[in-house]
């Protein structure tokens, strides 16, 4: 199977290359290679006393093909994501390989609509603003993409995107059955205005629908509306976002939830201090007493980017017991030279609400994240990180950890991103 897929990929590259030469179109082939070593001794969950750390190496390999001419763009990005040693076909002498890790990150075409914009159709990544609601999940080796249609209109300093996703499992002639824990539909509207070189603002609305049960067709839609603003001027950088959710959750319960956050930083030549705040609303009532869902759903946005690099807060209903999250954070970025940079980030986490499923103390603990980057070339670099978490009894109770030891996480990854071929 793997040989079959590889042969078809090579054939596609050859055909696109020949077509590009014949039509004087733009064609390029890009490579991304990212192996990552991880030492997990409390990653994603507090380390319990007596537990043994996990040590692993994962690897991402992507080859991106981009073809562009006049009124057409086409992008095709297959990827292979694997753990070293996870192959099914192995022997005592080595690895024979398999196709289970092969995937298709992107495969979409864009058609130009005169002078007003483009329409994009196919599997693609949806990345907007600071990636709070729609992001690429780039920390995960697989990333995330969608089978979508996106209308992209542009007029001077205005950008308008309208997108839709509709997922099915089978070519059924009736019903819209779909697993209730998976996304059935996304519909979104994004309006962006650039007021100056330094100031821009966006308005976004996302309607995300899921089936009420696995055996019924009824869809319940969670509506999310909000804004993002960013300003960069004379070293002072500021961004803020705020969103309100309404509609119905998967069970059909009315929703009233909100999230707001802000970060301010100041660039002083070789170092940049910053401070930020996040409030993600939660539920004060659960079970039969609950009449309204007040827990904000971060939808399809990046988690690792916002909620701590040790990744304790990814699934908020589970990871906060419906309590939501408050985060006070501060950071200091140092640029030692053109190749080496260091970032130190501290988080103080607490619950936004207490409820019958949480302890009465809202404090969750302190997380420290340290990241060092060394860009040895314009096509490659090394990145290393170390995180630790000092928990409270509240977090231990939420994670059902009776006795914890010092929880820490260490990683080192090589990132190579380069162009293999370019025809302009």
């Amino acid at each position: 199977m793997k040989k079959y897929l590889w042969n078809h990929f090579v054939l596609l590259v050859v055909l696109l290359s020949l077509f590009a030469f014949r039509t004087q179109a733009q064609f390029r082939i890009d490579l991304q290679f990212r192996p990552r070593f991880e030492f997990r001794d409390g990653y994603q969950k507090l380390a319990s006393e007596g537990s043994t750390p996990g040590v692993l190496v994962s690897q991402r390999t992507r080859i991106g093909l981009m073809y562009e001419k006049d009124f057409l763009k086409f992008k095709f990005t297959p990827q292979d994501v694997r753990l070293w040693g996870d192959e099914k076909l192995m022997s005592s002498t080595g690895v024979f390989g398999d196709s289970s890790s092969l995937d298709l990150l992107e495969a979409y075409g864009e058609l130009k609509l005169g002078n007003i914009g483009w329409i994009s159709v196919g599997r693609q990544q949806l990345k907007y603003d600071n990636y709070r609601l729609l992001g690429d999940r780039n920390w995960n080796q697989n990333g995330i993409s969608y089978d979508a249609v996106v209308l992209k209109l542009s007029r001077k300093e205005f950008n308008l995107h309208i997108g839709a996703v509709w997922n099915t499992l089978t070519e059924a002639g009736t019903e819209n059955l779909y697993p209730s824990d998976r996304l059935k539909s996304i519909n979104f509207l994004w309006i962006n205005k650039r007021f100056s070189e330094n100031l821009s603002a966006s308005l976004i609305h996302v309607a995300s629908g899921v089936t009420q049960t696995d055996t019924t067709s009824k869809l319940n839609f969670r509506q999310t509306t909000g804004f993002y603003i960013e300003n960069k001027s004379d070293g002072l950088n500021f961004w803020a976002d705020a969103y309100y959710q309404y509609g119905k959750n998967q069970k059909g319960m009315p929703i009233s939830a909100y999230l707001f956050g802000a970060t301010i930083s100041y660039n002083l030549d070789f170092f940049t201090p910053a401070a930020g705040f996040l409030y993600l609303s939660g539920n004060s009532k659960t079970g039969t007493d609950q009449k309204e869902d007040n827990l904000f759903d971060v939808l399809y946005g990046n988690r690792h980017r916002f909620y701590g690099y040790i990744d304790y807060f990814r699934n908020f209903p589970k990871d906060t017991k419906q309590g939501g999250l408050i985060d006070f954070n501060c950071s200091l970025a140092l640029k030692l030279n053109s190749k080496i940079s260091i970032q130190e980030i501290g988080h103080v986490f607490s619950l936004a609400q207490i409820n019958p499923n949480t302890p009465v103390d809202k404090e969750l603990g302190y997380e420290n994240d340290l990241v060092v980057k060394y860009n040895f070339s314009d096509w490659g670099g090394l990145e290393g990180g170390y995180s630790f978490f000092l928990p409270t009894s509240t977090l231990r109770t939420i994670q059902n950890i009776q006795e914890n030891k010092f929880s820490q996480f260490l990683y080192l990854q090589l990132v190579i991103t380069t162009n293999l071929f370019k025809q302009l």
Side-chain angles (χ1 to χ4, degrees), residues 303-406:
R303 271 72 164 166
H304 187 84
R305 179 187 181 109
F306 293 107
Y307 312 112
Y309 296 167
I310 208 165
D311 288 337
Y312 283 172
F313 308 107
R314 297 166 293 121
N315 182 340
F316 288 95
K318 174 184 176 183
D319 296 337
T320 70
K321 296 297 184 181
Q322 301 280 335
L325 190 69
I326 296 176
D327 172 27
F328 291 95
N329 59 81
C330 60
S331 66
L332 180 63
L334 301 176
K335 187 175 182 180
L336 302 185
N337 53 48
S338 61
K339 295 184 177 181
I340 302 176
S341 62
I342 301 173
Q343 186 177 36
E344 165 70 17
I345 310 172
H347 296 268
V348 178
F349 291 109
S350 61
L351 297 174
Q353 291 285 346
I354 60 172
N355 58 56
N357 296 328
T358 70
V360 295
D361 184 2
K362 292 183 178 181
E363 302 301 319
L364 294 172
Y366 171 79
E367 177 176 339
N368 194 88
D369 300 320
L370 175 66
V371 177
V372 180
K373 295 182 180 180
Y374 171 53
N375 296 317
F376 54 78
S377 171
D378 58 354
W379 50 261
L382 286 170
E383 177 182 324
Y386 177 73
S387 300
F388 66 83
F389 202 103
L390 304 178
T392 64
S393 60
T394 296
L395 184 62
R396 289 194 292 268
T397 300
I398 288 176
Q399 294 192 2
N400 194 26
I401 300 293
Q402 301 300 320
E403 295 185 22
N404 70 286
K405 62 178 182 178
F406 186 69

Side-chain angles (χ1 to χ4, degrees), residues 293-305:
D293 187 358
N294 302 129
L295 178 64
F296 190 90
D297 187 337
V298 295
L299 301 180
Y300 322 107
N302 294 12
R303 271 72 164 166
H304 187 84
R305 179 187 181 109

Side-chain angles (χ1 to χ4, degrees), residues 180-415:
S180 58
D181 60 348
R182 293 174 59 181
L183 163 73
K184 175 65 178 179
S185 175
I186 297 180
N187 305 278
F188 69 90
L189 169 70
W190 177 75
I191 304 173
N192 174 261
K193 165 68 174 177
R194 179 162 292 279
F195 297 94
S196 67
E197 184 179 351
N198 299 321
L199 178 63
S200 65
S202 301
L203 174 69
I204 191 169
H205 176 80
V206 182
S208 52
V210 294
T211 55
Q212 195 164 44
T213 71
D214 293 351
T215 57
T216 59
S217 298
K218 182 179 179 180
L219 291 179
N220 289 324
F221 279 88
R222 178 184 295 266
Q223 311 286 343
T224 305
T225 304
F227 71 87
Y228 171 78
I229 185 170
E230 182 178 28
N231 184 68
K232 298 179 180 180
S233 59
D234 299 327
L236 181 65
N237 300 325
F238 171 80
W239 67 259
D241 58 357
Y243 307 97
Y244 178 69
Q245 285 184 341
Y246 49 102
K248 294 183 178 180
N249 66 11
Q250 185 265 327
K251 296 180 180 179
M253 182 180 295
I255 298 170
S256 179
Y258 55 93
L259 177 151
F260 58 86
T263 294
I264 186 170
S265 63
Y266 193 80
N267 187 0
L268 297 168
D269 294 329
F270 66 93
F271 73 98
T272 304
F277 173 75
L278 165 81
Y279 187 97
L280 186 151
S281 67
N283 285 313
S284 59
K285 296 181 180 180
T286 60
T288 56
D289 294 332
Q290 185 180 7
K291 306 302 180 183
E292 187 176 68
D293 187 358
N294 302 129
L295 178 64
F296 190 90
D297 187 337
V298 295
L299 301 180
Y300 322 107
N302 294 12
R303 271 72 164 166
H304 187 84
R305 179 187 181 109
F306 293 107
Y307 312 112
Y309 296 167
I310 208 165
D311 288 337
Y312 283 172
F313 308 107
R314 297 166 293 121
N315 182 340
F316 288 95
K318 174 184 176 183
D319 296 337
T320 70
K321 296 297 184 181
Q322 301 280 335
L325 190 69
I326 296 176
D327 172 27
F328 291 95
N329 59 81
C330 60
S331 66
L332 180 63
L334 301 176
K335 187 175 182 180
L336 302 185
N337 53 48
S338 61
K339 295 184 177 181
I340 302 176
S341 62
I342 301 173
Q343 186 177 36
E344 165 70 17
I345 310 172
H347 296 268
V348 178
F349 291 109
S350 61
L351 297 174
Q353 291 285 346
I354 60 172
N355 58 56
N357 296 328
T358 70
V360 295
D361 184 2
K362 292 183 178 181
E363 302 301 319
L364 294 172
Y366 171 79
E367 177 176 339
N368 194 88
D369 300 320
L370 175 66
V371 177
V372 180
K373 295 182 180 180
Y374 171 53
N375 296 317
F376 54 78
S377 171
D378 58 354
W379 50 261
L382 286 170
E383 177 182 324
Y386 177 73
S387 300
F388 66 83
F389 202 103
L390 304 178
T392 64
S393 60
T394 296
L395 184 62
R396 289 194 292 268
T397 300
I398 288 176
Q399 294 192 2
N400 194 26
I401 300 293
Q402 301 300 320
E403 295 185 22
N404 70 286
K405 62 178 182 178
F406 186 69
S407 295
Q408 57 187 332
F409 169 57
L410 172 71
Y411 75 91
L412 177 65
Q413 70 179 11
L414 169 67
V415 182

Side-chain angles (χ1 to χ4, degrees), residues 60 125 131 135-144 146 299-303:
R60 170 204 288 178
Q125 293 193 305
Y131 301 175
D136 58 358
R137 305 275 189 94
N138 191 53
W139 167 254
N140 302 329
Q141 294 285 38
N142 291 83
I144 188 171
Y146 306 83
L299 301 180
Y300 322 107
N302 294 12
R303 271 72 164 166

Side-chain angles (χ1 to χ4, degrees), residues 46-98:
L46 291 170
S48 57
E49 194 65 44
S51 64
T52 301
V55 181
L56 58 93
V57 179
S58 61
Q59 178 178 306
R60 170 204 288 178
T61 308
R62 290 177 180 171
I63 297 180
L65 281 69
M66 173 62 78
Y67 171 86
E68 182 175 350
K69 185 180 190 308
D70 298 333
F71 297 94
L72 171 66
K73 297 179 183 178
F74 178 74
K75 190 171 186 181
F76 180 73
T77 309
Q79 69 177 2
D80 177 83
V81 176
R82 62 181 61 246
L83 291 171
W84 285 11
D86 72 345
E87 287 81 359
K88 299 176 183 178
L89 302 177
M90 296 184 66
S91 73
S92 60
T93 59
V95 178
F96 295 110
D98 59 26

